[in-house]
Amino acid sequence: GENVEQHPSTLSVQEGDSAVIKCTYSDSASNYFPWYKQELGKRPQLIIDIRSNVGEKKDQRIAVTLNKTAKHFSLHITETQPEDSAVYFCAASMLAGGTSYGKLTFGQGTILTVHP
Amino acid sequence: DTGVSQDPRHKITKRGQNVTFRCDPISEHNRLYWYRQTLGQGPEFLTYFQNEAQLEKSRLLSDRFSAERPKGSFSTLEIQRTEQGDSAMYLCASSIGQRSYEQYFGPGTRLTVT
């Protein structure tokens, strides 16, 4: 089955700096890669996703890049703010014809702390 | 609140007891997923439904676990003869149609087995 590795496990940055979180996956059939943000005691929230037919996607201060050959993808947060502090999870799944086969395989998570 | 809801939010039970959790997906979402999350880890897939059909079950879902979605709307997850290792956050998520890959999570049920 799919295996997703996520690094680093913790990341501490100063407000205004950039943060990068990296994930690798094992199953070359995976073609959908979402990122979730989970604040303490709250539900995971989808913040951005990318499908394997594109190499990069951006939404304001957040961007995700994908390297299918190397089987890794990354989350980039620019101009970090204290409210970005949370646990971030990457995940991988397989879509066929736009329909999900269902399950997401998550990475272990990265605790991001943004210091004011 | 039109998001995914779960009940109860917290459950404390003694080892050996049975527990049941409920998940109400976003209205008209035909897919419903159950995940388990332990402290410091990402959610782990347990099972998912498309309408009332259970399409996939993880090997994590031992025979003490059973999930149902009888009318294709809400779902229940039952754990029989609970063990301390079952202590975790149980998350439900739902998705719909052509954007079925976008899973929206509920707040979870935190289970503590003493």
Side-chain angles (χ1 to χ4, degrees):
Chain A
E2 175 64 277
N3 182 54
V4 177
E5 297 287 334
Q6 183 172 346
H7 299 280
S9 56
T10 60
L11 180 58
S12 183
V13 300
Q14 290 296 127
E15 182 177 1
D17 288 349
S18 295
V20 180
I21 302 170
K22 299 181 179 181
C23 290
T24 60
Y25 60 99
S26 62
D27 190 344
S28 57
S30 290
N31 55 7
Y32 172 67
F33 307 96
W35 286 87
Y36 283 82
K37 175 183 180 181
Q38 188 173 29
E39 296 177 51
L40 191 62
K42 297 191 175 180
R43 70 188 74 191
Q45 290 191 304
L46 178 65
I47 56 171
I48 195 168
D49 56 14
I50 190 168
R51 298 170 72 168
S52 61
N53 57 348
V54 298
E56 184 173 0
K57 184 176 178 181
K58 191 172 181 180
D59 182 4
Q60 299 182 339
R61 297 186 297 109
I62 295 174
V64 57
T65 59
L66 171 66
N67 183 327
K68 286 189 295 183
T69 303
K71 288 193 281 190
H72 68 70
F73 56 111
S74 300
L75 177 71
H76 305 253
I77 305 174
T78 58
E79 300 172 21
T80 53
Q81 302 167 1
E83 50 265 39
D84 294 329
S85 297
V87 182
Y88 290 81
F89 293 99
C90 62
S93 185
M94 185 166 56
L95 308 183
T99 301
S100 168
Y101 274 123
K103 68 179 181 181
L104 293 172
T105 302
F106 284 86
Q108 298 88 341
T110 296
I111 302 172
L112 173 65
T113 303
V114 180
H115 299 282
Chain B
D1 187 356
T2 56
V4 178
S5 62
Q6 293 186 245
D7 185 70
R9 296 291 306 279
H10 303 274
K11 178 71 177 178
I12 300 174
T13 191
K14 293 185 177 180
R15 188 175 55 188
Q17 297 296 304
N18 299 341
V19 294
T20 300
F21 311 141
R22 175 178 170 129
C23 170
D24 286 87
I26 295 172
S27 179
E28 299 181 353
H29 276 201
N30 59 339
R31 290 193 173 210
L32 187 149
Y33 310 81
W34 285 98
Y35 292 84
R36 181 173 69 187
Q37 185 177 27
T38 53
L39 199 63
Q41 299 295 317
E44 294 175 293
F45 171 78
L46 293 178
T47 188
Y48 91 97
F49 295 83
Q50 179 161 303
N51 300 314
E52 64 274 11
Q54 189 172 19
L55 297 187
E56 187 176 353
K57 291 195 294 185
S58 164
R59 286 171 293 178
L60 293 174
L61 215 64
S62 75
D63 56 6
R64 296 185 297 106
F65 288 70
S66 62
E68 294 183 342
R69 194 182 184 199
K71 297 182 179 178
S73 57
F74 72 91
S75 175
T76 58
L77 178 69
E78 180 183 16
I79 309 174
Q80 297 182 327
R81 306 181 302 281
T82 52
E83 301 173 356
Q84 287 190 321
D86 297 332
S87 295
M89 176 74 83
Y90 289 84
L91 292 163
C92 175
S94 70
S95 66
I96 184 170
Q98 291 185 346
R99 299 192 72 81
S100 63
Y101 46 88
E102 291 184 356
Q103 297 184 24
Y104 294 90
F105 281 83
T109 294
R110 180 165 296 285
L111 173 66
T112 302
V113 182
T114 62

